[in-house]
Amino acid sequence: MGENIIKYFAGGNTSQGFYSLFASNLESLERLFILKGGPGTGKSYLITKIGNAWKEKGYALEYMYCSSDKDSVDGVIIPDLKVGIVDGTKPHVIEPKYPGIIDDYVDLGAAWDASKLRKHKDDILSLTDQVSAAFQAAYKAFGEALIPYEKRKARVSKTLNVDKVKVLTERLVKTLFHDKGQVSLPTIKHRFHGALTPTGPCSFMEELIKPIGKRYFLQGRPGTGKSTLLRRLSLEAEMRGFNAEVYHCEFDPNSIDLLMIRELDFVIFDNKAPYELQPERQTDEVIDMEQAVLELNVHEEDGTVIKEYEQKLNDGLISLAKAKSLRDVLEGYYIQAMDFTVSATIRHEIQTEIEQIEQEFVKRI
């Protein structure tokens, strides 16, 4: 057991549309409750309430936050008990893999009065369509922002010195792993440290790296090989049998922003805006990728490409804010139709089952 709380996003609003990384974080669980039900049915409240109960008992927890509402949670995992509760509704649709054995649906829709919802049928249908359209507009804008982003990235990457990249990679492999390895099947978790949310970019980067002893800050513009380096190091960790947490870029999920290996007490990450952090400890190390791997200094041609990227990104964020505003209205209809005493009973049933799992766990330790 432990007192640490890990926060991250398992899904994101990205340039590739909604992008899910839930699978790798759920696959090792022995019990998974998948919540179903419309907006406003209390899924986030249920998850938080049960999470807090086990937090008070001193258990380590993982909270998966919602990229469309950073104050809500999409899931909680109690690693010691190998138990999880997750919101399985659209867009992060999660299906039971072993229904009745490991994972099951929990229908919070059982707590609403459908007759009350039908009185507002036209409004609910209209709002649902408007929310979907706002999300699609956001994804379109983020996709368009990727074009100038890639253009800028390509201009810088043309001057990468392959030999310098190889030397840096080999040095880091030797420094980070010290020729260590272990004969075990590693667990690789893929996550997002941050998200593009209705209130702007948000990240748990600072919280994630805080407890880690050795921290490497990668500096440099897009195109200086940071993601490629992190991918190479994550493959090295997997090959050597170390568990790893791989955090992807919230804008371009094909890029990696952060690699953490708790067993070796190190983290190496892309220290970029808008989440740029300052080295505070004597053991912190900054790696300037532009100096380390570029053949020559590449100046920005002009600010047009950056401005185009920023404008499209902002357009997407505005659409996310619109979706959130509309969804808040939609939630109101469901809230007024809910019987929360029923959902409280459902929560109690889940909590009782987890307590039984906990009793078995305590017997084994």
Side-chain angles (χ1 to χ4, degrees), residues 155-185:
R155 187 166 180 270
V156 175
S157 64
K158 285 179 182 178
T159 68
L160 276 176
N161 183 310
V162 178
D163 291 333
K164 288 184 177 180
V165 172
K166 184 179 178 181
V167 169
L168 175 62
T169 303
E170 290 176 350
R171 178 175 71 81
L172 283 171
V173 166
K174 186 175 181 180
T175 300
L176 297 174
F177 297 103
H178 308 289
D179 295 324
K180 292 180 181 178
Q182 48 194 31
V183 182
S184 61
L185 185 63

PDB file of all heavy atoms in Angstrom, residues 155-185:
ATOM      1  N   ARG A 155      11.352  21.588 -41.152  1.00  0.00           N
ATOM      2  CA  ARG A 155      12.440  22.526 -41.463  1.00  0.00           C
ATOM      3  C   ARG A 155      13.603  22.364 -40.494  1.00  0.00           C
ATOM      4  O   ARG A 155      14.767  22.428 -40.876  1.00  0.00           O
ATOM      5  CB  ARG A 155      11.903  23.958 -41.416  1.00  0.00           C
ATOM      6  CG  ARG A 155      12.913  24.996 -41.886  1.00  0.00           C
ATOM      7  CD  ARG A 155      12.249  26.331 -42.135  1.00  0.00           C
ATOM      8  NE  ARG A 155      13.262  27.287 -42.573  1.00  0.00           N
ATOM      9  CZ  ARG A 155      13.957  28.059 -41.755  1.00  0.00           C
ATOM     10  NH1 ARG A 155      13.756  27.991 -40.454  1.00  0.00           N
ATOM     11  NH2 ARG A 155      14.846  28.897 -42.227  1.00  0.00           N
ATOM     12  N   VAL A 156      13.294  22.120 -39.231  1.00  0.00           N
ATOM     13  CA  VAL A 156      14.337  21.933 -38.226  1.00  0.00           C
ATOM     14  C   VAL A 156      14.998  20.566 -38.377  1.00  0.00           C
ATOM     15  O   VAL A 156      16.224  20.431 -38.323  1.00  0.00           O
ATOM     16  CB  VAL A 156      13.756  22.085 -36.797  1.00  0.00           C
ATOM     17  CG1 VAL A 156      14.811  21.760 -35.743  1.00  0.00           C
ATOM     18  CG2 VAL A 156      13.221  23.493 -36.580  1.00  0.00           C
ATOM     19  N   SER A 157      14.187  19.536 -38.587  1.00  0.00           N
ATOM     20  CA  SER A 157      14.710  18.166 -38.612  1.00  0.00           C
ATOM     21  C   SER A 157      15.640  17.896 -39.801  1.00  0.00           C
ATOM     22  O   SER A 157      16.423  16.940 -39.777  1.00  0.00           O
ATOM     23  CB  SER A 157      13.563  17.154 -38.626  1.00  0.00           C
ATOM     24  OG  SER A 157      12.792  17.270 -39.806  1.00  0.00           O
ATOM     25  N   LYS A 158      15.575  18.745 -40.833  1.00  0.00           N
ATOM     26  CA  LYS A 158      16.469  18.577 -41.982  1.00  0.00           C
ATOM     27  C   LYS A 158      17.933  18.694 -41.590  1.00  0.00           C
ATOM     28  O   LYS A 158      18.814  18.166 -42.275  1.00  0.00           O
ATOM     29  CB  LYS A 158      16.149  19.628 -43.055  1.00  0.00           C
ATOM     30  CG  LYS A 158      14.879  19.349 -43.845  1.00  0.00           C
ATOM     31  CD  LYS A 158      14.642  20.451 -44.858  1.00  0.00           C
ATOM     32  CE  LYS A 158      13.345  20.226 -45.628  1.00  0.00           C
ATOM     33  NZ  LYS A 158      13.073  21.335 -46.590  1.00  0.00           N
ATOM     34  N   THR A 159      18.218  19.390 -40.508  1.00  0.00           N
ATOM     35  CA  THR A 159      19.605  19.609 -40.106  1.00  0.00           C
ATOM     36  C   THR A 159      20.066  18.663 -38.994  1.00  0.00           C
ATOM     37  O   THR A 159      21.132  18.861 -38.418  1.00  0.00           O
ATOM     38  CB  THR A 159      19.814  21.074 -39.643  1.00  0.00           C
ATOM     39  OG1 THR A 159      19.109  21.277 -38.429  1.00  0.00           O
ATOM     40  CG2 THR A 159      19.306  22.051 -40.684  1.00  0.00           C
ATOM     41  N   LEU A 160      19.242  17.637 -38.692  1.00  0.00           N
ATOM     42  CA  LEU A 160      19.653  16.657 -37.683  1.00  0.00           C
ATOM     43  C   LEU A 160      20.898  15.906 -38.141  1.00  0.00           C
ATOM     44  O   LEU A 160      20.977  15.442 -39.280  1.00  0.00           O
ATOM     45  CB  LEU A 160      18.529  15.636 -37.437  1.00  0.00           C
ATOM     46  CG  LEU A 160      17.416  16.001 -36.442  1.00  0.00           C
ATOM     47  CD1 LEU A 160      16.381  14.897 -36.426  1.00  0.00           C
ATOM     48  CD2 LEU A 160      17.980  16.206 -35.055  1.00  0.00           C
ATOM     49  N   ASN A 161      21.862  15.777 -37.267  1.00  0.00           N
ATOM     50  CA  ASN A 161      23.070  15.000 -37.548  1.00  0.00           C
ATOM     51  C   ASN A 161      22.850  13.599 -36.978  1.00  0.00           C
ATOM     52  O   ASN A 161      22.802  13.408 -35.762  1.00  0.00           O
ATOM     53  CB  ASN A 161      24.277  15.670 -36.891  1.00  0.00           C
ATOM     54  CG  ASN A 161      25.576  14.953 -37.200  1.00  0.00           C
ATOM     55  OD1 ASN A 161      25.675  13.738 -37.048  1.00  0.00           O
ATOM     56  ND2 ASN A 161      26.592  15.709 -37.614  1.00  0.00           N
ATOM     57  N   VAL A 162      22.707  12.625 -37.864  1.00  0.00           N
ATOM     58  CA  VAL A 162      22.386  11.254 -37.458  1.00  0.00           C
ATOM     59  C   VAL A 162      23.434  10.683 -36.509  1.00  0.00           C
ATOM     60  O   VAL A 162      23.106   9.986 -35.536  1.00  0.00           O
ATOM     61  CB  VAL A 162      22.240  10.344 -38.695  1.00  0.00           C
ATOM     62  CG1 VAL A 162      21.956   8.904 -38.268  1.00  0.00           C
ATOM     63  CG2 VAL A 162      21.123  10.847 -39.590  1.00  0.00           C
ATOM     64  N   ASP A 163      24.677  10.973 -36.770  1.00  0.00           N
ATOM     65  CA  ASP A 163      25.758  10.462 -35.904  1.00  0.00           C
ATOM     66  C   ASP A 163      25.667  11.045 -34.499  1.00  0.00           C
ATOM     67  O   ASP A 163      25.879  10.340 -33.507  1.00  0.00           O
ATOM     68  CB  ASP A 163      27.127  10.791 -36.518  1.00  0.00           C
ATOM     69  CG  ASP A 163      27.392   9.997 -37.789  1.00  0.00           C
ATOM     70  OD1 ASP A 163      26.830   8.887 -37.916  1.00  0.00           O
ATOM     71  OD2 ASP A 163      28.145  10.485 -38.647  1.00  0.00           O
ATOM     72  N   LYS A 164      25.346  12.337 -34.407  1.00  0.00           N
ATOM     73  CA  LYS A 164      25.203  12.973 -33.099  1.00  0.00           C
ATOM     74  C   LYS A 164      24.012  12.393 -32.333  1.00  0.00           C
ATOM     75  O   LYS A 164      24.069  12.221 -31.114  1.00  0.00           O
ATOM     76  CB  LYS A 164      25.037  14.481 -33.263  1.00  0.00           C
ATOM     77  CG  LYS A 164      26.304  15.210 -33.697  1.00  0.00           C
ATOM     78  CD  LYS A 164      26.068  16.712 -33.749  1.00  0.00           C
ATOM     79  CE  LYS A 164      27.339  17.469 -34.112  1.00  0.00           C
ATOM     80  NZ  LYS A 164      27.099  18.950 -34.151  1.00  0.00           N
ATOM     81  N   VAL A 165      22.938  12.111 -33.062  1.00  0.00           N
ATOM     82  CA  VAL A 165      21.761  11.497 -32.435  1.00  0.00           C
ATOM     83  C   VAL A 165      22.133  10.134 -31.858  1.00  0.00           C
ATOM     84  O   VAL A 165      21.757   9.796 -30.727  1.00  0.00           O
ATOM     85  CB  VAL A 165      20.613  11.349 -33.453  1.00  0.00           C
ATOM     86  CG1 VAL A 165      19.465  10.542 -32.845  1.00  0.00           C
ATOM     87  CG2 VAL A 165      20.111  12.708 -33.909  1.00  0.00           C
ATOM     88  N   LYS A 166      22.887   9.372 -32.627  1.00  0.00           N
ATOM     89  CA  LYS A 166      23.298   8.035 -32.185  1.00  0.00           C
ATOM     90  C   LYS A 166      24.180   8.109 -30.941  1.00  0.00           C
ATOM     91  O   LYS A 166      23.993   7.343 -29.991  1.00  0.00           O
ATOM     92  CB  LYS A 166      24.054   7.329 -33.316  1.00  0.00           C
ATOM     93  CG  LYS A 166      24.452   5.896 -33.002  1.00  0.00           C
ATOM     94  CD  LYS A 166      25.169   5.254 -34.173  1.00  0.00           C
ATOM     95  CE  LYS A 166      25.593   3.832 -33.823  1.00  0.00           C
ATOM     96  NZ  LYS A 166      26.319   3.181 -34.955  1.00  0.00           N
ATOM     97  N   VAL A 167      25.123   9.054 -30.931  1.00  0.00           N
ATOM     98  CA  VAL A 167      26.030   9.206 -29.785  1.00  0.00           C
ATOM     99  C   VAL A 167      25.246   9.592 -28.536  1.00  0.00           C
ATOM    100  O   VAL A 167      25.470   9.033 -27.455  1.00  0.00           O
ATOM    101  CB  VAL A 167      27.111  10.275 -30.088  1.00  0.00           C
ATOM    102  CG1 VAL A 167      27.873  10.632 -28.819  1.00  0.00           C
ATOM    103  CG2 VAL A 167      28.077   9.764 -31.153  1.00  0.00           C
ATOM    104  N   LEU A 168      24.313  10.544 -28.676  1.00  0.00           N
ATOM    105  CA  LEU A 168      23.512  10.978 -27.530  1.00  0.00           C
ATOM    106  C   LEU A 168      22.658   9.818 -27.001  1.00  0.00           C
ATOM    107  O   LEU A 168      22.575   9.602 -25.784  1.00  0.00           O
ATOM    108  CB  LEU A 168      22.610  12.150 -27.929  1.00  0.00           C
ATOM    109  CG  LEU A 168      21.626  12.632 -26.858  1.00  0.00           C
ATOM    110  CD1 LEU A 168      22.360  13.136 -25.622  1.00  0.00           C
ATOM    111  CD2 LEU A 168      20.710  13.732 -27.417  1.00  0.00           C
ATOM    112  N   THR A 169      22.040   9.094 -27.910  1.00  0.00           N
ATOM    113  CA  THR A 169      21.185   7.967 -27.509  1.00  0.00           C
ATOM    114  C   THR A 169      21.987   6.916 -26.755  1.00  0.00           C
ATOM    115  O   THR A 169      21.570   6.436 -25.690  1.00  0.00           O
ATOM    116  CB  THR A 169      20.516   7.328 -28.739  1.00  0.00           C
ATOM    117  OG1 THR A 169      19.768   8.326 -29.454  1.00  0.00           O
ATOM    118  CG2 THR A 169      19.582   6.201 -28.322  1.00  0.00           C
ATOM    119  N   GLU A 170      23.134   6.560 -27.281  1.00  0.00           N
ATOM    120  CA  GLU A 170      23.979   5.543 -26.636  1.00  0.00           C
ATOM    121  C   GLU A 170      24.457   5.998 -25.266  1.00  0.00           C
ATOM    122  O   GLU A 170      24.525   5.212 -24.321  1.00  0.00           O
ATOM    123  CB  GLU A 170      25.163   5.198 -27.537  1.00  0.00           C
ATOM    124  CG  GLU A 170      24.752   4.423 -28.791  1.00  0.00           C
ATOM    125  CD  GLU A 170      25.911   4.159 -29.725  1.00  0.00           C
ATOM    126  OE1 GLU A 170      27.007   4.747 -29.499  1.00  0.00           O
ATOM    127  OE2 GLU A 170      25.748   3.383 -30.680  1.00  0.00           O
ATOM    128  N   ARG A 171      24.771   7.296 -25.156  1.00  0.00           N
ATOM    129  CA  ARG A 171      25.217   7.835 -23.862  1.00  0.00           C
ATOM    130  C   ARG A 171      24.099   7.752 -22.827  1.00  0.00           C
ATOM    131  O   ARG A 171      24.319   7.353 -21.677  1.00  0.00           O
ATOM    132  CB  ARG A 171      25.675   9.290 -24.028  1.00  0.00           C
ATOM    133  CG  ARG A 171      26.099   9.935 -22.700  1.00  0.00           C
ATOM    134  CD  ARG A 171      26.663  11.326 -22.900  1.00  0.00           C
ATOM    135  NE  ARG A 171      25.684  12.306 -23.274  1.00  0.00           N
ATOM    136  CZ  ARG A 171      24.860  12.928 -22.416  1.00  0.00           C
ATOM    137  NH1 ARG A 171      24.894  12.625 -21.125  1.00  0.00           N
ATOM    138  NH2 ARG A 171      24.013  13.841 -22.842  1.00  0.00           N
ATOM    139  N   LEU A 172      22.898   8.095 -23.259  1.00  0.00           N
ATOM    140  CA  LEU A 172      21.771   8.072 -22.335  1.00  0.00           C
ATOM    141  C   LEU A 172      21.389   6.647 -21.942  1.00  0.00           C
ATOM    142  O   LEU A 172      21.046   6.381 -20.787  1.00  0.00           O
ATOM    143  CB  LEU A 172      20.567   8.795 -22.943  1.00  0.00           C
ATOM    144  CG  LEU A 172      20.643  10.318 -22.907  1.00  0.00           C
ATOM    145  CD1 LEU A 172      19.523  10.948 -23.725  1.00  0.00           C
ATOM    146  CD2 LEU A 172      20.595  10.831 -21.469  1.00  0.00           C
ATOM    147  N   VAL A 173      21.455   5.725 -22.888  1.00  0.00           N
ATOM    148  CA  VAL A 173      21.159   4.322 -22.574  1.00  0.00           C
ATOM    149  C   VAL A 173      22.118   3.817 -21.499  1.00  0.00           C
ATOM    150  O   VAL A 173      21.708   3.191 -20.518  1.00  0.00           O
ATOM    151  CB  VAL A 173      21.255   3.439 -23.839  1.00  0.00           C
ATOM    152  CG1 VAL A 173      21.292   1.954 -23.465  1.00  0.00           C
ATOM    153  CG2 VAL A 173      20.085   3.715 -24.768  1.00  0.00           C
ATOM    154  N   LYS A 174      23.399   4.135 -21.663  1.00  0.00           N
ATOM    155  CA  LYS A 174      24.407   3.696 -20.695  1.00  0.00           C
ATOM    156  C   LYS A 174      24.194   4.373 -19.337  1.00  0.00           C
ATOM    157  O   LYS A 174      24.290   3.740 -18.278  1.00  0.00           O
ATOM    158  CB  LYS A 174      25.803   4.009 -21.220  1.00  0.00           C
ATOM    159  CG  LYS A 174      26.926   3.458 -20.342  1.00  0.00           C
ATOM    160  CD  LYS A 174      28.277   3.690 -20.987  1.00  0.00           C
ATOM    161  CE  LYS A 174      29.390   3.121 -20.110  1.00  0.00           C
ATOM    162  NZ  LYS A 174      30.735   3.333 -20.721  1.00  0.00           N
ATOM    163  N   THR A 175      23.871   5.676 -19.370  1.00  0.00           N
ATOM    164  CA  THR A 175      23.691   6.432 -18.127  1.00  0.00           C
ATOM    165  C   THR A 175      22.436   6.004 -17.373  1.00  0.00           C
ATOM    166  O   THR A 175      22.456   5.841 -16.146  1.00  0.00           O
ATOM    167  CB  THR A 175      23.598   7.942 -18.425  1.00  0.00           C
ATOM    168  OG1 THR A 175      24.801   8.371 -19.073  1.00  0.00           O
ATOM    169  CG2 THR A 175      23.401   8.747 -17.150  1.00  0.00           C
ATOM    170  N   LEU A 176      21.348   5.815 -18.097  1.00  0.00           N
ATOM    171  CA  LEU A 176      20.067   5.530 -17.460  1.00  0.00           C
ATOM    172  C   LEU A 176      19.930   4.090 -16.990  1.00  0.00           C
ATOM    173  O   LEU A 176      19.340   3.829 -15.937  1.00  0.00           O
ATOM    174  CB  LEU A 176      18.925   5.861 -18.425  1.00  0.00           C
ATOM    175  CG  LEU A 176      18.793   7.326 -18.857  1.00  0.00           C
ATOM    176  CD1 LEU A 176      17.721   7.475 -19.924  1.00  0.00           C
ATOM    177  CD2 LEU A 176      18.466   8.213 -17.669  1.00  0.00           C
ATOM    178  N   PHE A 177      20.474   3.161 -17.762  1.00  0.00           N
ATOM    179  CA  PHE A 177      20.251   1.746 -17.453  1.00  0.00           C
ATOM    180  C   PHE A 177      21.454   1.056 -16.803  1.00  0.00           C
ATOM    181  O   PHE A 177      21.309  -0.026 -16.224  1.00  0.00           O
ATOM    182  CB  PHE A 177      19.833   0.998 -18.722  1.00  0.00           C
ATOM    183  CG  PHE A 177      18.534   1.488 -19.297  1.00  0.00           C
ATOM    184  CD1 PHE A 177      18.508   2.320 -20.407  1.00  0.00           C
ATOM    185  CD2 PHE A 177      17.334   1.142 -18.716  1.00  0.00           C
ATOM    186  CE1 PHE A 177      17.318   2.792 -20.931  1.00  0.00           C
ATOM    187  CE2 PHE A 177      16.130   1.593 -19.231  1.00  0.00           C
ATOM    188  CZ  PHE A 177      16.125   2.428 -20.346  1.00  0.00           C
ATOM    189  N   HIS A 178      22.633   1.647 -16.901  1.00  0.00           N
ATOM    190  CA  HIS A 178      23.830   1.110 -16.246  1.00  0.00           C
ATOM    191  C   HIS A 178      24.038  -0.388 -16.551  1.00  0.00           C
ATOM    192  O   HIS A 178      24.414  -1.165 -15.667  1.00  0.00           O
ATOM    193  CB  HIS A 178      23.738   1.281 -14.724  1.00  0.00           C
ATOM    194  CG  HIS A 178      23.428   2.676 -14.285  1.00  0.00           C
ATOM    195  ND1 HIS A 178      24.327   3.699 -14.386  1.00  0.00           N
ATOM    196  CD2 HIS A 178      22.294   3.215 -13.768  1.00  0.00           C
ATOM    197  CE1 HIS A 178      23.771   4.820 -13.929  1.00  0.00           C
ATOM    198  NE2 HIS A 178      22.542   4.543 -13.561  1.00  0.00           N
ATOM    199  N   ASP A 179      23.741  -0.779 -17.771  1.00  0.00           N
ATOM    200  CA  ASP A 179      23.862  -2.187 -18.169  1.00  0.00           C
ATOM    201  C   ASP A 179      22.963  -3.108 -17.352  1.00  0.00           C
ATOM    202  O   ASP A 179      23.202  -4.311 -17.248  1.00  0.00           O
ATOM    203  CB  ASP A 179      25.320  -2.671 -18.059  1.00  0.00           C
ATOM    204  CG  ASP A 179      26.226  -1.952 -19.045  1.00  0.00           C
ATOM    205  OD1 ASP A 179      25.755  -1.667 -20.160  1.00  0.00           O
ATOM    206  OD2 ASP A 179      27.373  -1.668 -18.683  1.00  0.00           O
ATOM    207  N   LYS A 180      21.932  -2.528 -16.733  1.00  0.00           N
ATOM    208  CA  LYS A 180      21.002  -3.328 -15.939  1.00  0.00           C
ATOM    209  C   LYS A 180      19.908  -3.922 -16.815  1.00  0.00           C
ATOM    210  O   LYS A 180      19.556  -3.388 -17.857  1.00  0.00           O
ATOM    211  CB  LYS A 180      20.351  -2.471 -14.842  1.00  0.00           C
ATOM    212  CG  LYS A 180      21.299  -2.011 -13.751  1.00  0.00           C
ATOM    213  CD  LYS A 180      20.551  -1.170 -12.730  1.00  0.00           C
ATOM    214  CE  LYS A 180      21.494  -0.678 -11.625  1.00  0.00           C
ATOM    215  NZ  LYS A 180      20.782   0.176 -10.642  1.00  0.00           N
ATOM    216  N   GLY A 181      19.370  -5.017 -16.349  1.00  0.00           N
ATOM    217  CA  GLY A 181      18.256  -5.669 -17.019  1.00  0.00           C
ATOM    218  C   GLY A 181      17.654  -6.678 -16.076  1.00  0.00           C
ATOM    219  O   GLY A 181      18.255  -7.019 -15.050  1.00  0.00           O
ATOM    220  N   GLN A 182      16.477  -7.150 -16.377  1.00  0.00           N
ATOM    221  CA  GLN A 182      15.861  -8.161 -15.543  1.00  0.00           C
ATOM    222  C   GLN A 182      15.016  -9.082 -16.399  1.00  0.00           C
ATOM    223  O   GLN A 182      14.455  -8.676 -17.412  1.00  0.00           O
ATOM    224  CB  GLN A 182      15.021  -7.516 -14.428  1.00  0.00           C
ATOM    225  CG  GLN A 182      14.082  -6.435 -14.885  1.00  0.00           C
ATOM    226  CD  GLN A 182      13.553  -5.628 -13.708  1.00  0.00           C
ATOM    227  OE1 GLN A 182      14.218  -5.441 -12.694  1.00  0.00           O
ATOM    228  NE2 GLN A 182      12.317  -5.147 -13.837  1.00  0.00           N
ATOM    229  N   VAL A 183      14.949 -10.324 -15.988  1.00  0.00           N
ATOM    230  CA  VAL A 183      14.207 -11.328 -16.752  1.00  0.00           C
ATOM    231  C   VAL A 183      12.754 -11.287 -16.285  1.00  0.00           C
ATOM    232  O   VAL A 183      12.367 -11.983 -15.345  1.00  0.00           O
ATOM    233  CB  VAL A 183      14.803 -12.740 -16.552  1.00  0.00           C
ATOM    234  CG1 VAL A 183      14.047 -13.750 -17.402  1.00  0.00           C
ATOM    235  CG2 VAL A 183      16.279 -12.737 -16.899  1.00  0.00           C
ATOM    236  N   SER A 184      11.986 -10.462 -16.906  1.00  0.00           N
ATOM    237  CA  SER A 184      10.574 -10.357 -16.558  1.00  0.00           C
ATOM    238  C   SER A 184       9.823  -9.735 -17.728  1.00  0.00           C
ATOM    239  O   SER A 184      10.409  -9.075 -18.584  1.00  0.00           O
ATOM    240  CB  SER A 184      10.386  -9.498 -15.304  1.00  0.00           C
ATOM    241  OG  SER A 184      10.859  -8.185 -15.530  1.00  0.00           O
ATOM    242  N   LEU A 185       8.520  -9.978 -17.750  1.00  0.00           N
ATOM    243  CA  LEU A 185       7.683  -9.383 -18.787  1.00  0.00           C
ATOM    244  C   LEU A 185       7.257  -8.006 -18.304  1.00  0.00           C
ATOM    245  O   LEU A 185       6.498  -7.888 -17.340  1.00  0.00           O
ATOM    246  CB  LEU A 185       6.460 -10.268 -19.046  1.00  0.00           C
ATOM    247  CG  LEU A 185       5.548  -9.841 -20.205  1.00  0.00           C
ATOM    248  CD1 LEU A 185       6.312  -9.906 -21.527  1.00  0.00           C
ATOM    249  CD2 LEU A 185       4.300 -10.710 -20.254  1.00  0.00           C
TER     250      LEU A 185
END
